[in-house]
Amino acid sequence: SLGNSPDPLDLIAKYSADAVRFGTMRSAPLGQDILFDEQHIELGRNFCTKLWNACRFRQMHGGEVQGELDPARLTTDDKWILIRLDKAIAEIFQALNEYKFNEATSTLYRFFWSEFCDWYLETTKAVLNGSDAAQKANTLAVLDFILSHTLRMMHPFLPFVTEELWHGL
């Protein structure tokens, strides 16, 4: 009402409600004032786009969700990303219990963008384009496991995009 801050409705129209929510929470430490920077909202939009593209990548390799993981077929890369997921879940759980939403969103961002998308998805491309059908099925099962857990973890922060992706997967 004072005109000294951006209109949230304009930001939502430009970036989306999820991007505004994620970007604001990621930049707001507990109990401290923040200096608004539209770059945080852009980061939220880019994160939503990355999430959408990762789920689309999974859909391109077969629509049906795979069954159980076969522990005997887990590669070193599979084991690594599952360990990183477990660590991210523990960090997010602790941050949420302490009402540190910026730490929870930073952990989600780091895990999903840097560890899952930039690293693990790139390593899966060789397996998914290979000829070993059983290994491909197990890699898809790992992808389904990771995506289902990350979508559930992201839902409080990105409810609209995660809901859409959940039903699409």
Side-chain angles (χ1 to χ4, degrees):
S1 65
L2 296 176
N4 61 357
S5 62
D7 184 2
L9 295 178
D10 291 341
L11 292 172
I12 290 170
K14 186 174 179 182
Y15 295 106
S16 84
D18 282 346
V20 172
R21 182 182 294 107
F22 189 83
T24 303
M25 277 192 270
R26 189 162 187 272
S27 65
L30 181 64
Q32 296 181 11
D33 292 336
I34 61 167
L35 295 174
F36 179 78
D37 188 349
E38 204 165 315
Q39 288 181 338
H40 297 298
I41 308 303
E42 289 176 15
L43 180 138
R45 180 199 56 202
N46 295 344
F47 187 72
C48 290
T49 302
K50 188 77 150 178
L51 176 61
W52 189 271
N53 288 337
C55 290
R56 205 174 95 218
F57 173 81
R58 168 55 188 97
Q59 289 172 329
M60 289 184 338
H61 291 283
E64 289 188 27
V65 174
Q66 298 298 309
E68 294 293 317
L69 298 171
D70 180 4
R73 289 200 166 271
L74 290 176
T75 65
T76 306
D77 297 336
D78 296 336
K79 292 175 187 176
W80 180 84
I81 196 65
L82 291 170
I83 290 168
R84 299 303 300 164
L85 173 66
D86 185 58
K87 183 177 184 219
I89 290 170
E91 289 175 12
I92 292 165
F93 184 77
Q94 181 179 355
L96 290 176
N97 280 339
E98 297 171 0
Y99 299 102
K100 295 180 179 177
F101 302 114
N102 68 314
E103 289 181 18
T105 54
S106 292
T107 299
L108 275 171
Y109 184 88
R110 183 204 72 234
F111 170 76
F112 193 77
W113 192 292
S114 300
E115 296 170 357
F116 181 70
C117 290
D118 286 352
W119 194 84
Y120 182 72
L121 280 184
E122 293 302 318
T123 64
T124 63
K125 290 178 181 178
V127 174
L128 295 175
N129 293 326
S131 59
D132 188 351
Q135 188 62 45
K136 180 180 177 181
N138 202 58
T139 299
L140 289 174
V142 172
L143 284 174
D144 293 341
F145 185 83
I146 300 284
L147 286 173
S148 71
H149 281 74
T150 54
L151 286 175
R152 284 183 267 170
M153 287 188 301
M154 291 178 191
H155 188 68
F157 307 106
L158 304 167
F160 300 113
V161 72
T162 55
E163 184 74 19
E164 183 70 24
L165 291 170
W166 184 265
H167 292 293
L169 289 174

